[in-house]
Amino acid sequence: MRLDVVTIFPEYLEPLNVSLVGKARTTGLLDVHVHDLRDWTYDRHNTVDDTPYGGGPGMVMKTGPWGDALDTVLADGYDTGAHAPALIVPTPSGMPFTQELAVELSERPWLIFTPARYEGIDRRVTEEYATRVPVYEVSIGDYVLAGGEAAVLVVTEAVARLLPGVLGNADSHRDDSFAPGDMADLLEGPVYTKPPLWRGRDIPEVLLSGHHGKIARWRRDEALKRTARNRPDLIERTDPKSFDKKDRETLSILGWAPGPEGSEGRPSGRFWRRPPAVEE
Ligand code: 6GU
């Protein structure tokens, strides 16, 4: 997979040389190109921003440097044999970046990131490139960052670990929280390793039992508990059919009850009612 990043802070992308992504680069699974947007400015001050039309606070990134940069990056990529580029535009007003989107992006051969500073990029740039390539405007969460560079690191790490050959074990993704499949929409529960006793704290006995069925059931209950506590929204939107009898028993112990009559089988909506808050 080829990745291009165009930014006014190339040094912000240094972490792409480290750990899993850095390794994927050295083994040739990822071909990363970081570009300085100011290479496509032609004035004395290397200006990349200007005041917004219509007034208001902050500055807007200008069309000129972005257009020239993206034309150059696209031409260079095609010249070196890359194909089917997609533009990833990090912005707090984008679509939520999810594991599902990470999987979709990991199946593309070439991603071009355009992290912006200031109040974002002149809209005409995204409109122009959307006529040529798929454009994904993505947000990494409901908070506001000073720029899109950190989001590029987040998206790149989530995507890179899904590339064939990047993680050791082909099974590694199966139990990921948010991975499609059996544990869909449940968070992962706690994990333990040696020593068996640490500062007076032991580990759950069932994990030493060697009883695979009991261990799987315990892990599922822990996942249900953690999800109910930290992400009740995930329980609420889960189809009741994906909970087995023991799941429902566990949820009921946690104070959850099935939703209103007739909600069975609905593709979306609230299936489970969360317990009322309890004074501690
Ligand atoms: Cl992608 N960019 C910025 N600036 N803020 C964000 C974001 C992106 N995602 C969440 N907040």
Side-chain angles (χ1 to χ4, degrees), residues 89-94 115-118 137-152 155:
V89 181
T91 165
S93 28
R117 292 270 145 178
Y118 317 112
E137 292 184 289
V138 299
S139 162
I140 61 163
D142 294 341
Y143 40 79
V144 179
L145 302 170
E149 284 78 6
V152 173
V155 172

PDB file of all heavy atoms in Angstrom, residues 89-94 115-118 137-152 155, ligand 1:
ATOM      1  N   VAL A  89      -9.444  13.072   3.900  1.00  0.00           N
ATOM      2  CA  VAL A  89      -9.420  14.441   4.412  1.00  0.00           C
ATOM      3  C   VAL A  89      -9.832  14.427   5.880  1.00  0.00           C
ATOM      4  O   VAL A  89     -11.009  14.276   6.194  1.00  0.00           O
ATOM      5  CB  VAL A  89     -10.387  15.337   3.598  1.00  0.00           C
ATOM      6  CG1 VAL A  89     -10.348  16.772   4.101  1.00  0.00           C
ATOM      7  CG2 VAL A  89     -10.075  15.268   2.102  1.00  0.00           C
ATOM      8  N   PRO A  90      -8.869  14.544   6.807  1.00  0.00           N
ATOM      9  CA  PRO A  90      -9.229  14.531   8.221  1.00  0.00           C
ATOM     10  C   PRO A  90      -9.901  15.857   8.590  1.00  0.00           C
ATOM     11  O   PRO A  90      -9.363  16.922   8.301  1.00  0.00           O
ATOM     12  CB  PRO A  90      -7.883  14.395   8.947  1.00  0.00           C
ATOM     13  CG  PRO A  90      -6.875  14.047   7.888  1.00  0.00           C
ATOM     14  CD  PRO A  90      -7.412  14.640   6.613  1.00  0.00           C
ATOM     15  N   THR A  91     -11.045  15.776   9.203  1.00  0.00           N
ATOM     16  CA  THR A  91     -11.769  16.972   9.636  1.00  0.00           C
ATOM     17  C   THR A  91     -12.771  16.594  10.716  1.00  0.00           C
ATOM     18  O   THR A  91     -13.393  15.520  10.625  1.00  0.00           O
ATOM     19  CB  THR A  91     -12.517  17.645   8.461  1.00  0.00           C
ATOM     20  OG1 THR A  91     -13.474  18.579   8.971  1.00  0.00           O
ATOM     21  CG2 THR A  91     -13.238  16.631   7.584  1.00  0.00           C
ATOM     22  N   PRO A  92     -12.934  17.455  11.728  1.00  0.00           N
ATOM     23  CA  PRO A  92     -13.925  17.137  12.764  1.00  0.00           C
ATOM     24  C   PRO A  92     -15.341  17.063  12.197  1.00  0.00           C
ATOM     25  O   PRO A  92     -16.231  16.499  12.825  1.00  0.00           O
ATOM     26  CB  PRO A  92     -13.782  18.261  13.789  1.00  0.00           C
ATOM     27  CG  PRO A  92     -12.973  19.321  13.124  1.00  0.00           C
ATOM     28  CD  PRO A  92     -12.209  18.689  12.015  1.00  0.00           C
ATOM     29  N   SER A  93     -15.565  17.584  10.991  1.00  0.00           N
ATOM     30  CA  SER A  93     -16.913  17.478  10.398  1.00  0.00           C
ATOM     31  C   SER A  93     -17.045  16.295   9.438  1.00  0.00           C
ATOM     32  O   SER A  93     -18.026  16.209   8.695  1.00  0.00           O
ATOM     33  CB  SER A  93     -17.303  18.793   9.718  1.00  0.00           C
ATOM     34  OG  SER A  93     -16.185  19.498   9.263  1.00  0.00           O
ATOM     35  N   GLY A  94     -16.086  15.375   9.491  1.00  0.00           N
ATOM     36  CA  GLY A  94     -16.147  14.199   8.622  1.00  0.00           C
ATOM     37  C   GLY A  94     -17.008  13.082   9.186  1.00  0.00           C
ATOM     38  O   GLY A  94     -17.609  13.215  10.247  1.00  0.00           O
ATOM     39  N   PRO A 115      -4.058  16.438   5.901  1.00  0.00           N
ATOM     40  CA  PRO A 115      -4.345  17.054   7.199  1.00  0.00           C
ATOM     41  C   PRO A 115      -4.211  18.577   7.119  1.00  0.00           C
ATOM     42  O   PRO A 115      -3.235  19.085   6.571  1.00  0.00           O
ATOM     43  CB  PRO A 115      -3.273  16.459   8.115  1.00  0.00           C
ATOM     44  CG  PRO A 115      -2.140  16.109   7.196  1.00  0.00           C
ATOM     45  CD  PRO A 115      -2.815  15.655   5.917  1.00  0.00           C
ATOM     46  N   ALA A 116      -5.203  19.276   7.667  1.00  0.00           N
ATOM     47  CA  ALA A 116      -5.220  20.736   7.607  1.00  0.00           C
ATOM     48  C   ALA A 116      -5.021  21.332   8.988  1.00  0.00           C
ATOM     49  O   ALA A 116      -5.310  20.697  10.002  1.00  0.00           O
ATOM     50  CB  ALA A 116      -6.544  21.210   7.027  1.00  0.00           C
ATOM     51  N   ARG A 117      -4.485  22.531   9.005  1.00  0.00           N
ATOM     52  CA  ARG A 117      -4.459  23.355  10.223  1.00  0.00           C
ATOM     53  C   ARG A 117      -5.500  24.447  10.035  1.00  0.00           C
ATOM     54  O   ARG A 117      -6.232  24.467   9.052  1.00  0.00           O
ATOM     55  CB  ARG A 117      -3.061  23.950  10.431  1.00  0.00           C
ATOM     56  CG  ARG A 117      -2.014  22.914  10.772  1.00  0.00           C
ATOM     57  CD  ARG A 117      -1.918  22.711  12.280  1.00  0.00           C
ATOM     58  NE  ARG A 117      -1.627  21.299  12.590  1.00  0.00           N
ATOM     59  CZ  ARG A 117      -1.450  20.850  13.832  1.00  0.00           C
ATOM     60  NH1 ARG A 117      -1.515  21.665  14.865  1.00  0.00           N
ATOM     61  NH2 ARG A 117      -1.219  19.569  14.048  1.00  0.00           N
ATOM     62  N   TYR A 118      -5.547  25.395  10.931  1.00  0.00           N
ATOM     63  CA  TYR A 118      -6.478  26.531  10.829  1.00  0.00           C
ATOM     64  C   TYR A 118      -7.921  26.013  10.750  1.00  0.00           C
ATOM     65  O   TYR A 118      -8.240  24.971  11.304  1.00  0.00           O
ATOM     66  CB  TYR A 118      -6.109  27.444   9.659  1.00  0.00           C
ATOM     67  CG  TYR A 118      -4.616  27.697   9.574  1.00  0.00           C
ATOM     68  CD1 TYR A 118      -3.844  27.195   8.537  1.00  0.00           C
ATOM     69  CD2 TYR A 118      -3.962  28.400  10.611  1.00  0.00           C
ATOM     70  CE1 TYR A 118      -2.473  27.412   8.481  1.00  0.00           C
ATOM     71  CE2 TYR A 118      -2.595  28.608  10.568  1.00  0.00           C
ATOM     72  CZ  TYR A 118      -1.854  28.104   9.501  1.00  0.00           C
ATOM     73  OH  TYR A 118      -0.512  28.292   9.465  1.00  0.00           O
ATOM     74  N   GLU A 137     -14.011  12.163   3.885  1.00  0.00           N
ATOM     75  CA  GLU A 137     -13.794  13.132   4.961  1.00  0.00           C
ATOM     76  C   GLU A 137     -14.034  12.381   6.264  1.00  0.00           C
ATOM     77  O   GLU A 137     -15.140  11.880   6.491  1.00  0.00           O
ATOM     78  CB  GLU A 137     -14.771  14.298   4.833  1.00  0.00           C
ATOM     79  CG  GLU A 137     -14.506  15.171   3.616  1.00  0.00           C
ATOM     80  CD  GLU A 137     -15.433  16.373   3.580  1.00  0.00           C
ATOM     81  OE1 GLU A 137     -16.633  16.176   3.325  1.00  0.00           O
ATOM     82  OE2 GLU A 137     -14.957  17.493   3.833  1.00  0.00           O
ATOM     83  N   VAL A 138     -13.020  12.280   7.113  1.00  0.00           N
ATOM     84  CA  VAL A 138     -13.157  11.462   8.321  1.00  0.00           C
ATOM     85  C   VAL A 138     -12.818  12.241   9.585  1.00  0.00           C
ATOM     86  O   VAL A 138     -11.901  13.063   9.604  1.00  0.00           O
ATOM     87  CB  VAL A 138     -12.284  10.179   8.268  1.00  0.00           C
ATOM     88  CG1 VAL A 138     -12.685   9.299   7.097  1.00  0.00           C
ATOM     89  CG2 VAL A 138     -10.814  10.506   8.200  1.00  0.00           C
ATOM     90  N   SER A 139     -13.583  11.946  10.626  1.00  0.00           N
ATOM     91  CA  SER A 139     -13.332  12.482  11.970  1.00  0.00           C
ATOM     92  C   SER A 139     -12.956  11.328  12.882  1.00  0.00           C
ATOM     93  O   SER A 139     -13.529  10.241  12.766  1.00  0.00           O
ATOM     94  CB  SER A 139     -14.604  13.152  12.507  1.00  0.00           C
ATOM     95  OG  SER A 139     -14.526  13.304  13.918  1.00  0.00           O
ATOM     96  N   ILE A 140     -11.992  11.530  13.786  1.00  0.00           N
ATOM     97  CA  ILE A 140     -11.616  10.435  14.685  1.00  0.00           C
ATOM     98  C   ILE A 140     -12.310  10.525  16.038  1.00  0.00           C
ATOM     99  O   ILE A 140     -12.037   9.726  16.921  1.00  0.00           O
ATOM    100  CB  ILE A 140     -10.088  10.322  14.871  1.00  0.00           C
ATOM    101  CG1 ILE A 140      -9.507  11.592  15.475  1.00  0.00           C
ATOM    102  CG2 ILE A 140      -9.425   9.986  13.538  1.00  0.00           C
ATOM    103  CD1 ILE A 140      -8.098  11.374  16.051  1.00  0.00           C
ATOM    104  N   GLY A 141     -13.258  11.439  16.205  1.00  0.00           N
ATOM    105  CA  GLY A 141     -14.001  11.471  17.467  1.00  0.00           C
ATOM    106  C   GLY A 141     -14.628  12.827  17.707  1.00  0.00           C
ATOM    107  O   GLY A 141     -14.346  13.791  16.984  1.00  0.00           O
ATOM    108  N   ASP A 142     -15.452  12.884  18.724  1.00  0.00           N
ATOM    109  CA  ASP A 142     -16.217  14.102  18.995  1.00  0.00           C
ATOM    110  C   ASP A 142     -15.457  15.039  19.923  1.00  0.00           C
ATOM    111  O   ASP A 142     -15.819  15.197  21.102  1.00  0.00           O
ATOM    112  CB  ASP A 142     -17.598  13.748  19.565  1.00  0.00           C
ATOM    113  CG  ASP A 142     -18.459  13.033  18.538  1.00  0.00           C
ATOM    114  OD1 ASP A 142     -18.148  13.136  17.334  1.00  0.00           O
ATOM    115  OD2 ASP A 142     -19.432  12.372  18.933  1.00  0.00           O
ATOM    116  N   TYR A 143     -14.404  15.605  19.388  1.00  0.00           N
ATOM    117  CA  TYR A 143     -13.588  16.603  20.072  1.00  0.00           C
ATOM    118  C   TYR A 143     -12.844  17.319  18.962  1.00  0.00           C
ATOM    119  O   TYR A 143     -12.831  16.840  17.831  1.00  0.00           O
ATOM    120  CB  TYR A 143     -12.594  15.945  21.054  1.00  0.00           C
ATOM    121  CG  TYR A 143     -11.985  14.696  20.489  1.00  0.00           C
ATOM    122  CD1 TYR A 143     -10.932  14.784  19.550  1.00  0.00           C
ATOM    123  CD2 TYR A 143     -12.462  13.439  20.808  1.00  0.00           C
ATOM    124  CE1 TYR A 143     -10.399  13.643  18.975  1.00  0.00           C
ATOM    125  CE2 TYR A 143     -11.930  12.294  20.236  1.00  0.00           C
ATOM    126  CZ  TYR A 143     -10.904  12.406  19.338  1.00  0.00           C
ATOM    127  OH  TYR A 143     -10.385  11.280  18.756  1.00  0.00           O
ATOM    128  N   VAL A 144     -12.245  18.455  19.271  1.00  0.00           N
ATOM    129  CA  VAL A 144     -11.600  19.232  18.209  1.00  0.00           C
ATOM    130  C   VAL A 144     -10.094  19.279  18.434  1.00  0.00           C
ATOM    131  O   VAL A 144      -9.621  19.676  19.499  1.00  0.00           O
ATOM    132  CB  VAL A 144     -12.179  20.656  18.138  1.00  0.00           C
ATOM    133  CG1 VAL A 144     -11.474  21.459  17.043  1.00  0.00           C
ATOM    134  CG2 VAL A 144     -13.680  20.604  17.849  1.00  0.00           C
ATOM    135  N   LEU A 145      -9.332  18.834  17.429  1.00  0.00           N
ATOM    136  CA  LEU A 145      -7.876  18.906  17.459  1.00  0.00           C
ATOM    137  C   LEU A 145      -7.430  20.182  16.761  1.00  0.00           C
ATOM    138  O   LEU A 145      -8.180  20.781  15.997  1.00  0.00           O
ATOM    139  CB  LEU A 145      -7.292  17.690  16.729  1.00  0.00           C
ATOM    140  CG  LEU A 145      -7.687  16.316  17.262  1.00  0.00           C
ATOM    141  CD1 LEU A 145      -7.236  15.220  16.297  1.00  0.00           C
ATOM    142  CD2 LEU A 145      -7.106  16.094  18.638  1.00  0.00           C
ATOM    143  N   ALA A 146      -6.176  20.565  16.993  1.00  0.00           N
ATOM    144  CA  ALA A 146      -5.649  21.779  16.354  1.00  0.00           C
ATOM    145  C   ALA A 146      -5.334  21.541  14.885  1.00  0.00           C
ATOM    146  O   ALA A 146      -5.201  22.472  14.112  1.00  0.00           O
ATOM    147  CB  ALA A 146      -4.407  22.252  17.097  1.00  0.00           C
ATOM    148  N   GLY A 147      -5.235  20.271  14.501  1.00  0.00           N
ATOM    149  CA  GLY A 147      -4.938  19.959  13.103  1.00  0.00           C
ATOM    150  C   GLY A 147      -5.164  18.486  12.840  1.00  0.00           C
ATOM    151  O   GLY A 147      -5.376  17.698  13.768  1.00  0.00           O
ATOM    152  N   GLY A 148      -5.109  18.096  11.582  1.00  0.00           N
ATOM    153  CA  GLY A 148      -5.441  16.730  11.198  1.00  0.00           C
ATOM    154  C   GLY A 148      -4.287  15.735  11.293  1.00  0.00           C
ATOM    155  O   GLY A 148      -4.496  14.542  11.078  1.00  0.00           O
ATOM    156  N   GLU A 149      -3.074  16.196  11.626  1.00  0.00           N
ATOM    157  CA  GLU A 149      -1.914  15.293  11.599  1.00  0.00           C
ATOM    158  C   GLU A 149      -2.057  14.124  12.571  1.00  0.00           C
ATOM    159  O   GLU A 149      -1.723  12.976  12.214  1.00  0.00           O
ATOM    160  CB  GLU A 149      -0.615  16.068  11.883  1.00  0.00           C
ATOM    161  CG  GLU A 149      -0.110  16.913  10.712  1.00  0.00           C
ATOM    162  CD  GLU A 149      -0.873  18.230  10.541  1.00  0.00           C
ATOM    163  OE1 GLU A 149      -1.723  18.554  11.391  1.00  0.00           O
ATOM    164  OE2 GLU A 149      -0.609  18.924   9.538  1.00  0.00           O
ATOM    165  N   ALA A 150      -2.528  14.396  13.791  1.00  0.00           N
ATOM    166  CA  ALA A 150      -2.704  13.301  14.759  1.00  0.00           C
ATOM    167  C   ALA A 150      -3.724  12.295  14.231  1.00  0.00           C
ATOM    168  O   ALA A 150      -3.576  11.077  14.431  1.00  0.00           O
ATOM    169  CB  ALA A 150      -3.125  13.847  16.124  1.00  0.00           C
ATOM    170  N   ALA A 151      -4.741  12.779  13.532  1.00  0.00           N
ATOM    171  CA  ALA A 151      -5.744  11.880  12.947  1.00  0.00           C
ATOM    172  C   ALA A 151      -5.106  10.996  11.863  1.00  0.00           C
ATOM    173  O   ALA A 151      -5.468   9.823  11.723  1.00  0.00           O
ATOM    174  CB  ALA A 151      -6.907  12.680  12.385  1.00  0.00           C
ATOM    175  N   VAL A 152      -4.164  11.544  11.115  1.00  0.00           N
ATOM    176  CA  VAL A 152      -3.471  10.737  10.102  1.00  0.00           C
ATOM    177  C   VAL A 152      -2.730   9.584  10.781  1.00  0.00           C
ATOM    178  O   VAL A 152      -2.757   8.439  10.304  1.00  0.00           O
ATOM    179  CB  VAL A 152      -2.479  11.590   9.280  1.00  0.00           C
ATOM    180  CG1 VAL A 152      -1.644  10.703   8.349  1.00  0.00           C
ATOM    181  CG2 VAL A 152      -3.227  12.645   8.474  1.00  0.00           C
ATOM    182  N   VAL A 155      -5.430   6.969  11.884  1.00  0.00           N
ATOM    183  CA  VAL A 155      -5.994   6.204  10.767  1.00  0.00           C
ATOM    184  C   VAL A 155      -4.938   5.256  10.197  1.00  0.00           C
ATOM    185  O   VAL A 155      -5.207   4.083   9.922  1.00  0.00           O
ATOM    186  CB  VAL A 155      -6.541   7.158   9.675  1.00  0.00           C
ATOM    187  CG1 VAL A 155      -6.944   6.379   8.424  1.00  0.00           C
ATOM    188  CG2 VAL A 155      -7.721   7.972  10.216  1.00  0.00           C
TER     189      VAL A 155
HETATM  190 CL1  6GU B   1      -9.754  14.418  11.701  1.00  0.00          CL
HETATM  191  N1  6GU B   1      -9.274  16.811  12.713  1.00  0.00           N
HETATM  192  C1  6GU B   1      -9.394  17.743  13.653  1.00  0.00           C
HETATM  193  N2  6GU B   1      -8.789  18.914  13.499  1.00  0.00           N
HETATM  194  N3  6GU B   1     -10.098  17.568  14.768  1.00  0.00           N
HETATM  195  C2  6GU B   1     -10.688  16.380  14.913  1.00  0.00           C
HETATM  196  C3  6GU B   1     -10.602  15.367  13.977  1.00  0.00           C
HETATM  197  C4  6GU B   1      -9.878  15.617  12.856  1.00  0.00           C
HETATM  198  N4  6GU B   1     -11.314  14.307  14.410  1.00  0.00           N
HETATM  199  C5  6GU B   1     -11.807  14.669  15.579  1.00  0.00           C
HETATM  200  N5  6GU B   1     -11.436  15.919  15.897  1.00  0.00           N
END
